Amino acid sequence: MARLLLPLPFAAAAAASSSLHLAASCLRLPAVSVARREGLFGGRVVGGAVRAPARLARRGLCAGAEPGGSAGTAVSQEEAVEWVKKDRRRLLHVVYRVGDLDKTIKFYTECLGMKLLRKRDIPEERYTNAFLGYGPEDSHFVVELTYNYGVESYDIGTGFGHFGIAVDDVAKTVDLIKAKGGTVTREPGPVKGGKSVIAFIEDPDGYKFELIERGPTPEPLCQVMLRVGDLDRAINFYEKAFGMELLRKRDNPEYKYTIAMMGYGPEDKNAVLELTYNYGVKEYDKGNAYAQIAISTDDVYKTAEVIRINGGHITREPGPLPGINTKITACADPDGWKTVFVDNIDFLKELEE
């Protein structure tokens, strides 16, 4: 997967919350099997290349636009709504910065049961990154940790909420975390106003994780929670611009907040975005620790147009990254949360290199 966030030196940390930085390095992964490629894209593999289904080829959406192809293509509101529903999207990874990469990797693998998928050091640019998760990157939502040389801490701010992890037994997981010296901020027990058993912990950098007791699931890394200033506006944006579905919405007047679960499939099988609105709070400090989510798409050019139509701000115009030709576009939602969209076919090609 292309490196989508250029780590920032501490002196430039303030700029991290207002601008998106992109680099064009290529990260290596083991080869992806033919069967997996066909399952991921629903097409045939001929001569090592993915051949998309005819229905996608006819729409001209199968491999995104080549430079000079559909760049600048205008679409109407109606076309945008229809196309985004057909676009093949999923959450790829979430990017954030940490102060001690080895310590964080140790915590995630020993306490949370994640696997270190890849680790890559770029000394000339003074950063190291690591991808961790519960399965291969071509089929699972994973975390991308970024360590900038010499930067030991970051400001998480008040806007980022937590990550969610589904576990078989919350109490046992909490006991393990305590034994490893981890911080438990909410002991196991039913969620307020519900029956689901949860607990909250913090990793070495202070990022919060909600442990959710749930049966076996293909996507244990199941949530990213962000706070928004206008929930209805956010729901409308993520439905129309990102093609997400409102899976459920719950108001908690006793505690003065409302949540909305947004995603590309059921919560028990897919990672989802949890949007939280706290009564009367319109803005949040985003700090400089949390960065962005990456999402796959069939066409970054049309994706950018749809985002513009629905009030999003394009922070990186659609097109290929220099050196590796992976097509991406980046944007900020109405609350300023950042997202990068990555071409499906290009992403798969990078996983094979």
Side-chain angles (χ1 to χ4, degrees):
M1 176 58 224
R3 172 135 183 95
L4 302 175
L5 178 75
L6 179 63
L8 303 171
F10 189 64
S17 61
S18 60
S19 62
L20 182 68
H21 297 265
L22 301 161
S25 59
C26 181
L27 302 178
R28 306 289 180 181
L29 278 180
V32 182
S33 69
V34 169
R36 177 165 288 173
R37 278 182 280 172
E38 292 181 342
L40 180 62
F41 289 103
R44 294 184 299 115
V45 179
V46 181
V50 176
R51 182 162 295 174
R55 67 182 184 280
L56 295 176
R58 283 194 297 270
R59 291 204 303 266
L61 304 178
C62 58
E66 296 299 329
S70 57
T73 299
V75 293
S76 69
Q77 182 79 49
E78 293 76 16
E79 290 172 331
V81 171
E82 182 64 23
W83 178 76
V84 79
K85 290 179 181 178
K86 299 176 181 178
D87 193 19
R88 295 170 297 168
R89 298 183 176 186
R90 73 175 181 89
L91 301 183
L92 299 177
H93 58 257
V94 59
V95 187
Y96 51 105
R97 303 175 181 94
V98 299
D100 186 328
L101 189 58
D102 290 338
K103 184 177 182 180
T104 303
I105 291 172
K106 181 179 176 67
F107 182 83
Y108 285 14
T109 55
E110 294 185 359
C111 296
L112 300 180
M114 291 187 187
K115 296 178 181 178
L116 175 61
L117 304 173
R118 289 184 287 125
K119 184 178 179 182
R120 188 167 187 265
D121 186 42
I122 311 295
E124 64 272 19
E125 296 183 23
R126 298 181 58 78
Y127 73 83
T128 306
N129 60 20
F131 286 72
L132 296 97
Y134 295 99
E137 291 177 62
D138 66 321
S139 58
H140 287 72
F141 185 51
V142 305
V143 299
E144 179 188 346
L145 306 178
T146 299
Y147 168 70
N148 295 295
Y149 291 11
V151 184
E152 297 181 353
S153 64
Y154 295 92
D155 175 17
I156 294 178
T158 59
F160 172 78
H162 62 260
F163 303 109
I165 294 182
V167 298
D168 293 333
D169 191 316
V170 167
K172 286 185 179 180
T173 304
V174 166
D175 287 342
L176 172 63
I177 291 168
K178 287 180 177 178
K180 296 289 185 178
T183 301
V184 178
T185 59
R186 200 267 202 194
E187 292 291 337
V191 64
K192 293 177 180 177
K195 297 180 180 180
S196 299
V197 176
I198 66 167
F200 275 92
I201 64 166
E202 287 186 0
D203 76 359
D205 290 273
Y207 291 101
K208 292 180 172 61
F209 283 78
E210 179 182 13
L211 305 179
I212 306 166
E213 193 159 285
R214 185 180 291 173
T217 173
E219 197 69 277
L221 181 61
C222 58
Q223 291 179 5
V224 177
M225 192 275 260
L226 303 174
R227 298 182 176 93
V228 299
D230 185 327
L231 188 59
D232 289 337
R233 179 185 67 180
I235 291 171
N236 182 67
F237 177 81
Y238 280 96
E239 283 182 326
K240 293 182 178 179
F242 282 24
M244 289 186 179
E245 177 186 355
L246 175 60
L247 302 172
R248 63 185 173 96
K249 183 178 179 182
R250 187 178 81 240
D251 186 35
N252 295 274
E254 182 180 356
Y255 300 102
K256 297 185 177 180
Y257 74 89
T258 308
I259 65 169
M261 296 295 190
M262 311 289 300
Y264 296 111
E267 288 180 64
D268 61 340
K269 294 182 175 64
N270 299 272
V272 300
L273 187 62
E274 177 181 345
L275 304 177
T276 297
Y277 168 69
N278 293 298
Y279 290 10
V281 183
K282 299 298 183 182
E283 295 183 0
Y284 294 92
D285 172 17
K286 293 182 177 59
N288 61 4
Y290 174 85
Q292 63 202 23
I293 288 177
I295 298 176
S296 63
T297 179
D298 287 320
D299 190 318
V300 298
Y301 298 96
K302 289 187 177 180
T303 290
E305 288 298 326
V306 172
I307 290 168
R308 285 193 180 96
I309 287 172
N310 288 285
H313 173 60
I314 299 299
T315 58
R316 201 278 188 189
E317 289 296 328
L321 286 169
I324 60 173
N325 295 320
T326 294
K327 293 180 286 295
I328 72 165
T329 191
C331 70
D333 75 2
D335 287 276
W337 294 114
K338 297 172 184 175
T339 301
V340 169
F341 285 86
V342 185
D343 180 87
N344 269 320
I345 301 297
D346 291 350
F347 175 68
L348 189 63
K349 288 178 180 177
E350 287 190 43
L351 297 185
E352 294 179 315
E353 293 180 357

